[in-house]
Amino acid sequence: MDSTVYRHFIEKSQKDAKNSLRHLPAVFLSSPILPWEEINAALIGFLNEICSDKRDTSLHTPSILHTPSIMQNRTSNYFAQLFYLFNESCIVLIEHPEQEIPLKLKANAANMFRLLIASTTPRQILCLDKSDSTNLAMLVFFLETYMHWGACPNAWECYAKRTAHICFNLFKKSLFQASDSQFRTSFCYILGAWLFALKTEGISDSRLPNERKPVQEHFNFSTEDQKARGSVFCAPKKHLYFTILRKPPHPVTAFSLLEHENRAGLFLNLNDTKPKIIETTKSHRLERPEGYGIVESYLCGEDTEPCFTWTVAILSYRMTLYRVDIFAPLEGKSVFFTNIQLCIPVTAPLNPTGHDRYSGIGAENTVIELIKNPWNLDLSAMSTTGIAVFVPAHTIYLAKRTEIVSACAKGENIQSIDTTHLLGIFE
């Protein structure tokens, strides 16, 4: 994106939002804007503040800045860990501009470029909570900085510039509901993005790949303690799903916002402890006309002793996301499930509209249907993070093969949810 657009926003903010910005270091507020050599120390201090568990007193109080929502759950959310890694790595690369970007960091950043580009449409970015302006400002900063450091996949620079352009436009629209701390944080990220955009000036943006046709991308990330691989499918009608598979393995799940990576799916305890996936026995993609998905089968139990199998199938067909969970006890094993929760991301509060059917009207009209519900799961709560939680009334004894099928459809006037696309999954 043209750096002059960032500069115009910075100068206008310095003029019109002096009260909101007054707690920032003076170097951020100088007019005309100081050159890179004089501002990089303040930018490093800002990134240290964002990445620190204990707020740096150089910015006076803990409330001066706001941690982007995607980074607020890094103990369990894989993408939060990645964005912390990207922010922390920026500190080192800014302090030592002659240093080459490490290969693992470059691979992670390249996959994040591909993920963001695949989940961006001409009017919106689908993978982050857009009500938090700092999420969008951080993405603009990430795209511009890591493009400068050569992490963008070859020949994708034009797509990255286009994505940054879209993110910045959405960011400006989100500012009307931003708090002072969110505005200050966003301002610092955009200032950093402008500094790096100056160094990649001249790269023109281009139409995104998914503006031409649906795209299914596959990506791989790795951190110090674990690896993850996954998929993202983006269709022209603003529909998106992610699946992620970790090592050590966790059951595959589907979600559309990165913040929901550790919150969506089916959770349960085996005899009051979390079951362990001992072996992944099957893994393959589902590719059907207008439908994409994945099937994974696991051998599960306590420690190294298997006692049941668990198969998870995720299928995205047009504007409907299906989830199938198949459980089967091993011969001679007694299996009791407790603390069962089926967690489905939604965009609005749900109301019962029929047997095992729920509807909600919000940013997108949503219908959830429990197509096969042998455990009598019922809507228990709606979390503040946009998750509908379904639970059974009692402990479940797994006596035989059991299938649980749920579907989440989005669109106008949904009368019924078709199940013919699931044929073959139950075999």
Side-chain angles (χ1 to χ4, degrees):
M1 182 170 170
D2 189 345
S3 63
T4 57
V5 179
Y6 300 139
R7 178 160 188 151
H8 176 75
F9 168 80
I10 294 165
E11 292 177 340
K12 190 174 188 303
S13 298
Q14 289 175 334
K15 180 180 178 181
D16 298 341
K18 289 182 179 179
N19 288 336
S20 295
L21 300 177
R22 68 182 185 278
H23 296 295
L24 293 177
V27 68
F28 279 155
L29 307 179
S30 62
S31 182
I33 302 171
L34 296 175
W36 167 251
E37 291 76 13
E38 298 185 42
I39 207 170
N40 64 350
L43 185 58
I44 290 170
F46 160 71
L47 292 172
N48 271 318
E49 180 78 3
I50 288 293
C51 295
S52 176
D53 291 326
K54 297 180 180 179
R55 291 297 191 187
D56 185 352
T57 56
S58 66
L59 292 181
H60 308 298
T61 70
S63 61
I64 293 303
L65 296 178
H66 172 84
T67 302
S69 63
I70 183 54
M71 296 172 62
Q72 291 177 3
N73 194 21
R74 61 170 164 164
T75 56
S76 55
N77 186 293
Y78 194 75
F79 292 101
Q81 297 170 25
L82 284 169
F83 279 113
Y84 262 97
L85 174 65
F86 293 139
N87 277 268
E88 289 171 343
S89 299
C90 281
I91 297 169
V92 177
L93 293 168
I94 293 171
E95 287 180 328
H96 307 283
E98 73 287 347
Q99 179 177 312
E100 288 192 13
I101 185 170
L103 290 178
K104 182 183 288 188
L105 175 63
K106 190 171 184 178
N108 282 336
N111 276 285
M112 185 59 72
F113 268 100
R114 293 171 53 241
L115 187 154
L116 295 176
I117 290 167
S119 60
T120 302
T121 74
R123 294 187 178 181
Q124 63 177 320
I125 182 164
L126 301 167
C127 65
L128 287 182
D129 179 7
K130 293 173 285 297
S131 64
D132 186 346
S133 63
T134 59
N135 281 337
L136 296 163
M138 183 185 64
L139 288 193
V140 175
F141 176 76
F142 167 81
L143 290 163
E144 296 290 1
T145 53
Y146 280 90
M147 193 185 317
H148 162 69
W149 285 316
C152 184
N154 289 337
W156 281 53
E157 290 84 358
C158 55
Y159 300 144
K161 283 289 185 181
R162 174 67 171 162
T163 301
H165 187 172
I166 293 168
C167 287
F168 184 71
N169 287 340
L170 292 171
F171 155 72
K172 289 191 295 183
K173 293 177 182 178
S174 71
L175 284 176
F176 77 94
Q177 56 185 348
S179 65
D180 281 352
S181 61
Q182 288 175 320
F183 183 79
R184 283 189 286 267
T185 304
S186 301
F187 175 86
C188 295
Y189 271 128
I190 297 302
L191 183 61
W194 169 71
L195 290 167
F196 285 97
L198 288 171
K199 303 181 181 185
T200 56
E201 202 77 271
I203 300 175
S204 59
D205 57 9
S206 174
R207 291 182 66 195
L208 299 170
N210 59 17
E211 292 181 56
R212 303 183 180 94
K213 62 179 181 179
V215 173
Q216 185 169 26
E217 288 286 342
H218 306 288
F219 51 87
N220 293 276
F221 297 107
S222 62
T223 56
E224 292 300 324
D225 56 345
Q226 62 181 329
K227 294 182 179 180
R229 58 187 174 88
S231 307
V232 52
F233 172 68
C234 186
K237 294 184 178 180
K238 306 178 183 179
H239 188 43
L240 173 78
Y241 85 83
F242 292 93
T243 59
I244 187 166
L245 302 92
R246 296 192 188 185
K247 293 181 180 180
H250 294 242
V252 64
T253 189
F255 51 94
S256 55
L257 295 182
L258 302 185
E259 291 97 323
H260 291 159
E261 181 268 321
N262 62 319
R263 298 172 183 162
L266 182 59
F267 303 93
L268 49 80
N269 285 348
L270 170 65
N271 303 327
D272 294 324
T273 60
K274 186 176 179 180
K276 179 181 179 181
I277 295 179
I278 298 169
E279 182 184 355
T280 301
T281 58
K282 180 174 68 173
S283 177
H284 66 85
R285 298 190 184 111
L286 290 173
E287 294 193 10
R288 303 181 176 188
E290 299 187 70
Y292 296 80
I294 192 167
V295 176
E296 289 263 315
S297 293
Y298 313 102
L299 192 62
C300 305
E302 297 177 284
D303 296 325
T304 59
E305 183 67 26
C307 59
F308 71 96
T309 62
W310 184 358
T311 297
V312 182
I314 306 293
L315 177 65
S316 175
Y317 178 80
R318 294 185 178 176
M319 298 295 286
T320 303
L321 183 65
Y322 300 88
R323 179 188 175 96
V324 178
D325 292 272
I326 304 173
F327 297 90
L330 297 181
E331 187 175 354
K333 299 295 184 179
S334 295
V335 179
F336 291 89
F337 291 143
T338 59
N339 296 332
I340 300 168
Q341 291 186 336
L342 175 61
C343 300
I344 302 176
V346 294
T347 55
L350 298 176
N351 296 301
T353 55
H355 180 63
D356 288 339
R357 184 181 173 95
Y358 305 84
S359 298
I361 300 176
E364 298 170 314
N365 293 319
T366 302
V367 172
I368 290 178
E369 187 170 331
L370 303 181
I371 298 168
K372 290 189 177 184
N373 188 17
W375 293 349
N376 295 317
L377 300 173
D378 197 11
L379 182 63
S380 169
M382 286 287 301
S383 75
T384 56
T385 56
I387 301 287
V389 182
F390 298 82
V391 301
H394 49 75
T395 297
I396 297 297
Y397 171 59
L398 185 65
K400 60 180 181 179
R401 174 187 163 104
T402 303
E403 300 168 357
I404 299 172
V405 183
S406 61
C408 179
K410 297 178 181 179
E412 301 288 342
N413 301 318
I414 301 172
Q415 301 300 321
S416 62
I417 293 180
D418 192 357
T419 61
T420 57
H421 321 296
L422 300 176
L423 294 175
I425 292 178
F426 304 105
E427 298 173 358

